Amino acid sequence: MADKVTSMQWPGLSDADVQKMVALEGYNELPGSRRRSILLIFIDVLREPMLLLLVACGVIYLFLGDRTEALLLVAAIVVVISITLYQERKTERALEALRNLSSPRARVIRNGAVQRIAGREVVRGDILMLEEGDRVPADARLLKVTNIHADESLLTGESVPVRKHAGNRDADEIKPGGRDLTCVYSSTLIVSGRGVAEVVATGIRTEVGKIGLVLRTLETEQSTLQKQTRRMVNIFAIVGVVLCIIVALVYSLTRGDWMGGLLAGLSLAMSALPEEFPVVMTVFLALGAWRISQRNVLTRRIPAVETLGSATVLCVDKTGTITQNRMAVASACLDGKCYPISSEQRSMAEELHELVEYSILASPPDPFDPMEKAMRELGERAFGHHDHIHTDWKQIREYPLTDKLLSMARAWLPPNQKEYIVAAKGAPEAIADLCHLDKAAISRLESHIEQLADMGLRVIAVAKARTASLPAGQHDFTFSIIGLLGLADPIRPAVPSAVSECRKAGIKVKMITGDYPGTARHIAAQIGMESPITILTGQALEKMNKKELAMKVKETDVFARVVPEQKLHIVQALKATGEVVAMTGDGVNDAPALKAANIGVAMGGRGTDVAREAAPVVLLDDNFTSIVAAIRTGRRIYDNLRKAMSFIFAVHIPIAGIALISVLMKWPLALLPLHIAFLELIIDPACTLVFEAEDEEKDVMSRPPRSPNVPLFGRAQVWTSVIQGLGVLVVVVAIYVLALESQWGEGVARALAFSSLVIGNLGLIIANRSQTRSTLDSLKRPNIALRWVIGLAVSVLILALSVPSLRELFSFGALKTWQFALCLTTGLVAAMMAEITKLRFVQRLIGGNVSVESHTSKHG
């Protein structure tokens, strides 16, 4: 009957009108993301210098007949391409999630009749019928309202549903945020009441659609590590190619042997080209992503693993991230006294029983509203199956909340009784009016209301009445007030400790919320943010230009009453000041900021699909402490990556050096391609498996984040690697010259130089396992991969020196026992020289402690 009356008042659009609107504005959905063909993606990938270097090295290995190494490089190429293809799909999946979310079923009036259609078929001008539990299919202006409250937390971050009013069809558009607005918005949820609304915007013109457009325009930038690695690879590649050409020409022109010159050039290219750099970065980050997944953190974009460890600011969305995104009774006041109530409380003071009992009686038996759910949950938790839960009472009448009276009441008839029990709840001022309180009572009530409000709580008053008959309105009852309930969106229990650990690690935590400043300040104090807590509202933020905002964001702890566009501005302003920004969130409103941040962290359990698809990192368990664990792992990965890079840099110096010196001094070639290929069998697993498996440094979470301006290879680290590499080179050249001058033969000289080089390289591995611990301390720390690498290298070396066929293959001469002992001694001396670089006075000479240099932040 109600539908008939409504359709007579608003007949809605005709089929012809609908067709015209579809032709003019399209369907109520978001457009697909720009797609590129597989061929175009491959072309773009092949332009990457890192990949070109991998391909070039693979060609060299194929030319030399080393198929195993070539196949390993091909596998790395496949990994790089797969990661790029995965990244290309991310925006498309985010938009697809937005399309699914914004296209629920809808009840509309068309041709004078109520119809149920797919959300994508809603057009501007449609008349919507909205009821409790409906997902709003499009932005619409309310024409008729009966106690409508909408959950708009996905758009505004507000933790409680907001009340709506009916408005003028010709009124201007109103942005979401705040109570008593006349519009409802696409993808939000009607939690109570019912109404009629006219659609004013569909598809990309809705508020959620505008977020989708922002997502399309945002480009995911490369991490600092990717940029630095690319720069290093380019430099090494240029130097390696130039040296290769010079050596090939010098050898050929001075000796008249062009094939020998080509072989010498290729040997030097293999020794100088750092093909390990891109492979190491890929392996480290891939294994790092796997390690973090063991802590319930899913990495959707692999470079994000390292970026986590460099975060200087953590922007935290309040609703659903710091808080649990559900209401809970936190306090109760009656008879001049307030009682705190915990979320785990299983019993309560006897005097509170009546207050909770009547709050449940004033609510529906199966509530949908979060606050009513919280009241029932408290009663069931505290009462269990006690008599205060009246499952056998019969509800006789409901008195709904209206715009003029912000309270609701329900009349119940207990079994075997003739008198009705009436329970009412609502805004304190409305209940005070119903109870006809005098000025003194109202003053006492207001003091309690202010006390609860200062705690950031939503205040509800509860009253009771008994009557033999049911009047027409609530004012006709003789109510007496019972007390007040304060409701809050409780914080996640582990958040305070996580915030504390972030502070110790030098990471600034900033809270961004759509809620009111008082509530935000209270939550900030609860989670342990340092006093005084500075707050900036969205209204004040809107009046600032980019320069003013950049200055303000650094000193602000809490951003309150913020709309989605402003969250994005905050993140961009922080980045403009040089901060590495991590942003957490779970709602549609967080998606642009998640994508714009250096590292976006979405909640996997309570988070929306849009947030999860927009963020490179997802917390599978929605546990705030997982962020800290991920940051710890990210820092460890970066530390170990630097160790591996140091080793690669150092180990290439003696290999390239002996190859170059042999040509320039017209000595027999000390290293042939086979020797270098064998050395690569040590270098590759050492710089990937060994260093990746290293435990974290003891100060990993007690030092400030590293500055983004500090390069992957700082001056101190470069000089450390140079000294280590030159130490091994000097020893190898010395023993090679000694063998040649002593007429021991070319084969013996080559065997001695090669053996010293292998032992020296193993020493470099051990020395670089830690930049702060000594080699002896490092040896006490278990590393299974290191045992395998050393065992395999030593075994193959002994076989190559002792088995005649292998000795001939390697062009070695037979060594005497004392010669091998000399080789072993000189190799160990070279390894010990690497240990000298850790001494404090040496570190001061070369520019400071390596481990400190990379982690001292210029941002506080």
Side-chain angles (χ1 to χ4, degrees):
M1 186 68 179
D3 286 354
K4 273 191 176 181
V5 174
T6 303
S7 61
M8 288 176 64
Q9 186 176 359
W10 295 287
L13 301 176
S14 66
D15 291 339
D17 293 332
V18 172
Q19 291 176 4
K20 288 180 183 178
M21 290 305 301
V22 170
L24 180 65
E25 297 184 351
Y27 285 104
N28 180 33
E29 58 187 5
L30 298 180
S33 58
R34 297 181 295 271
R35 296 188 182 185
R36 294 187 299 160
S37 67
I38 295 297
L39 179 61
L40 287 177
I41 294 175
F42 267 108
I43 291 174
D44 282 350
V45 174
L46 289 174
R47 291 174 182 169
E48 294 290 327
M50 287 167 53
L51 189 64
L52 288 174
L53 183 59
L54 282 173
V55 172
C57 292
V59 170
I60 291 174
Y61 283 122
L62 282 175
F63 180 81
L64 295 171
D66 191 338
R67 296 181 181 178
T68 301
E69 194 72 19
L71 287 174
L72 289 175
L73 291 178
V74 169
I77 292 170
V78 171
V79 170
V80 172
I81 293 175
S82 299
I83 293 171
T84 305
L85 291 173
Y86 178 79
Q87 181 68 10
E88 290 292 325
R89 293 268 305 161
K90 267 202 343 179
T91 300
E92 180 183 341
R93 286 198 298 270
L95 291 168
E96 188 175 331
L98 268 173
R99 286 197 298 271
N100 292 338
L101 181 61
S102 60
S103 187
R105 302 292 294 178
R107 279 207 314 155
V108 300
I109 302 175
R110 288 183 180 175
N111 302 310
V114 177
Q115 303 177 22
R116 185 171 290 277
I117 62 174
R120 71 184 297 270
E121 297 174 6
V122 171
V123 298
R124 183 162 57 87
D126 262 328
I127 303 298
L128 297 175
M129 304 281 289
L130 299 172
E131 292 183 348
E132 182 177 300
D134 284 348
R135 181 77 67 178
V136 181
D139 289 3
R141 187 174 300 281
L142 290 161
L143 306 177
K144 181 181 177 181
V145 168
T146 304
N147 187 31
I148 276 194
H149 285 72
D151 178 359
E152 296 181 348
S153 61
L154 293 180
L155 281 173
T156 67
E158 291 170 307
S159 58
V160 296
V162 291
R163 185 178 58 220
K164 297 291 181 179
H165 282 310
N168 189 336
R169 298 176 76 169
D170 299 323
D172 294 334
E173 181 183 0
I174 300 176
K175 293 286 185 182
R179 297 168 62 83
D180 299 325
L181 299 184
T182 60
C183 287
V184 288
Y185 303 94
S186 176
S187 302
T188 61
L189 187 68
I190 304 299
V191 298
S192 66
R194 57 184 180 273
V196 180
E198 181 180 9
V199 175
V200 296
T202 60
I204 60 172
R205 290 164 290 277
T206 63
E207 293 300 316
V208 72
K210 292 171 185 176
I211 293 175
L213 287 178
V214 173
L215 281 176
R216 292 186 72 193
T217 58
L218 287 174
E219 296 293 336
T220 303
E221 63 182 45
Q222 285 190 322
S223 70
T224 303
L225 180 61
Q226 285 177 303
K227 295 174 184 176
Q228 292 179 357
T229 304
R230 173 181 288 189
R231 188 160 50 246
M232 287 177 56
V233 167
N234 289 340
I235 293 172
F236 271 82
I238 292 171
V239 172
V241 170
V242 170
L243 287 177
C244 173
I245 295 173
I246 292 175
V247 166
L249 290 175
V250 169
Y251 190 99
S252 301
L253 293 174
T254 57
R255 308 190 189 191
D257 183 1
W258 288 96
M259 285 303 296
L262 178 61
L263 183 63
L266 288 174
S267 298
L268 184 61
M270 291 178 63
S271 62
L273 290 178
E275 76 278 4
E276 298 91 358
F277 279 163
V279 175
V280 163
M281 192 179 77
T282 300
V283 171
F284 265 58
L285 297 184
L287 289 177
W290 174 79
R291 290 185 187 279
I292 290 180
S293 71
Q294 306 304 300
R295 297 176 179 265
N296 292 311
V297 179
L298 174 64
T299 307
R300 304 177 63 82
R301 183 165 61 89
I302 287 184
V305 175
E306 177 274 331
T307 312
L308 267 173
S310 62
T312 60
V313 172
L314 180 57
C315 291
V316 187
D317 181 67
K318 180 183 75 68
T319 306
T321 306
I322 288 179
T323 65
Q324 300 176 29
N325 200 20
R326 65 176 181 85
M327 299 302 292
V329 179
S331 184
C333 294
L334 73 162
D335 299 330
K337 185 178 180 181
C338 289
Y339 302 81
I341 298 175
S342 73
S343 59
E344 304 299 324
Q345 193 163 324
R346 296 291 174 182
S347 62
M348 66 177 70
E350 182 66 32
E351 52 265 38
L352 297 180
H353 285 190
E354 185 181 46
L355 175 61
V356 177
E357 174 187 5
Y358 274 83
S359 72
I360 296 172
L361 287 173
S363 306
D366 185 17
F368 189 82
D369 183 89
M371 290 188 294
E372 293 174 337
K373 282 185 176 180
M375 296 170 191
R376 177 164 285 274
E377 286 173 2
L378 173 60
E380 291 175 347
R381 196 169 65 239
F383 300 150
H385 299 289
H386 197 272
D387 291 340
H388 292 291
I389 303 293
H390 303 291
T391 56
D392 56 342
W393 286 19
K394 183 179 180 181
Q395 180 179 315
I396 304 301
R397 187 166 179 178
E398 175 187 355
Y399 296 86
L401 180 147
T402 66
D403 293 340
K404 294 181 180 180
L405 183 60
L406 300 180
S407 70
M408 62 179 65
R410 282 179 166 77
W412 300 82
L413 184 61
N416 305 318
Q417 290 191 27
K418 295 182 179 181
E419 195 172 37
Y420 300 103
I421 301 296
V422 184
K425 66 176 176 61
E429 61 271 19
I431 297 297
D433 183 30
L434 288 177
C435 296
H436 307 293
L437 299 182
D438 57 29
K439 289 184 178 180
I442 290 176
S443 178
R444 289 194 299 271
L445 187 67
E446 286 177 343
S447 68
H448 288 312
I449 294 171
E450 188 175 343
Q451 181 180 349
L452 295 175
D454 288 343
M455 296 167 59
L457 304 180
R458 178 84 176 271
V459 184
I460 298 294
V462 181
K464 65 179 180 177
R466 299 178 75 94
T467 182
S469 62
L470 298 178
Q474 297 184 57
H475 275 292
D476 298 322
F477 291 105
T478 304
F479 280 110
S480 60
I481 190 166
I482 303 174
L484 302 173
L485 290 175
L487 295 100
D489 187 0
I491 65 169
R492 296 178 182 273
V495 170
S497 60
V499 171
S500 175
E501 191 162 1
C502 284
R503 189 184 302 114
K504 292 176 183 176
I507 301 169
K508 290 167 281 188
V509 178
K510 297 180 183 291
M511 187 169 73
I512 304 177
T513 177
D515 231 325
Y516 291 94
T519 303
R521 185 188 299 276
H522 181 73
I523 295 294
Q526 278 188 291
I527 64 174
M529 293 181 71
E530 291 182 318
S531 298
I533 297 170
T534 56
I535 297 181
L536 179 66
T537 64
Q539 187 178 8
L541 186 152
E542 192 69 30
K543 298 176 182 177
M544 297 179 179
N545 57 39
K546 289 185 178 180
K547 186 176 181 181
E548 292 172 332
L549 181 59
M551 294 176 62
K552 192 69 176 177
V553 292
K554 291 183 72 70
E555 61 189 41
T556 301
D557 302 306
V558 176
F559 299 88
R561 301 302 290 164
V562 169
V563 298
E565 294 84 354
Q566 293 170 338
K567 289 187 177 185
L568 179 59
H569 296 332
I570 292 167
V571 170
Q572 291 173 333
L574 285 167
K575 289 173 64 177
T577 63
E579 302 285 4
V580 178
V581 183
M583 164 74 184
T584 70
D586 66 343
V588 175
N589 61 316
D590 299 320
L594 287 172
K595 189 169 183 181
N598 298 97
I599 177 70
V601 183
M603 299 296 151
R606 296 181 181 270
T608 61
D609 288 343
V610 179
R612 288 193 292 267
E613 294 295 340
V617 171
V618 178
L619 300 184
L620 299 179
D621 58 357
D622 284 7
N623 192 336
F624 194 85
T625 58
S626 297
I627 301 175
V628 181
I631 290 174
R632 178 188 293 272
T633 304
R635 289 188 173 191
R636 172 194 170 210
I637 289 169
Y638 186 82
D639 282 356
N640 290 344
L641 186 56
R642 282 171 60 89
K643 296 171 189 176
M645 294 296 190
S646 293
F647 169 71
I648 293 171
F649 194 97
V651 82
H652 276 84
I653 291 175
I655 297 175
I658 190 65
L660 181 61
I661 292 173
S662 298
V663 173
L664 296 179
M665 299 301 295
K666 296 185 180 182
W667 296 337
L669 291 179
L671 297 178
L672 301 175
L674 180 61
H675 303 141
I676 298 174
F678 173 79
L679 290 171
E680 292 294 327
L681 292 178
I682 301 175
I683 296 172
D684 286 349
C687 59
T688 52
L689 301 179
V690 173
F691 289 108
E692 196 283 328
E694 278 298 310
D695 291 335
E696 63 193 36
E697 299 285 352
K698 55 187 177 182
D699 64 339
V700 70
M701 287 299 284
S702 60
R703 62 195 180 205
R706 68 180 183 277
S707 168
N709 300 322
V710 172
L712 180 63
F713 243 49
R715 183 182 65 176
Q717 192 170 12
V718 168
W719 279 110
T720 297
S721 297
V722 168
I723 293 171
Q724 291 180 351
L726 287 177
V728 176
L729 176 61
V730 168
V731 169
V732 171
V733 170
I735 198 168
Y736 190 60
V737 172
L738 175 64
L740 292 177
E741 292 294 328
S742 300
Q743 303 294 319
W744 293 345
E746 179 181 323
V748 171
R750 184 175 292 118
L752 287 172
F754 182 77
S755 300
S756 299
L757 193 56
V758 170
I759 297 169
N761 286 347
L762 293 177
L764 288 179
I765 296 173
I766 298 172
N768 281 287
R769 287 182 62 194
S770 174
Q771 301 290 355
T772 57
R773 294 181 173 91
S774 68
T775 299
L776 292 177
D777 287 338
S778 295
L779 289 174
K780 297 176 183 177
R781 300 166 66 190
N783 188 318
I784 297 176
L786 176 64
R787 295 175 184 175
W788 279 99
V789 168
I790 292 178
L792 183 63
V794 172
S795 299
V796 175
L797 176 62
I798 292 174
L799 289 174
L801 293 173
S802 57
V803 177
S805 58
L806 291 177
R807 197 164 57 225
E808 183 178 352
L809 180 64
F810 277 84
S811 301
F812 289 160
L815 294 183
K816 298 176 182 179
T817 303
W818 68 269
Q819 288 175 324
F820 183 76
L822 175 64
C823 170
L824 182 63
T825 302
T826 54
L828 291 175
V829 169
M832 292 307 299
M833 289 177 65
E835 186 70 15
I836 295 175
T837 60
K838 297 181 184 179
L839 298 177
R840 288 188 178 182
F841 80 92
V842 176
Q843 286 293 318
R844 284 196 292 268
L845 287 175
I846 63 179
N849 186 285
V850 174
S851 63
V852 172
E853 174 201 31
S854 62
H855 302 288
T856 302
S857 174
K858 297 181 181 179
H859 304 293

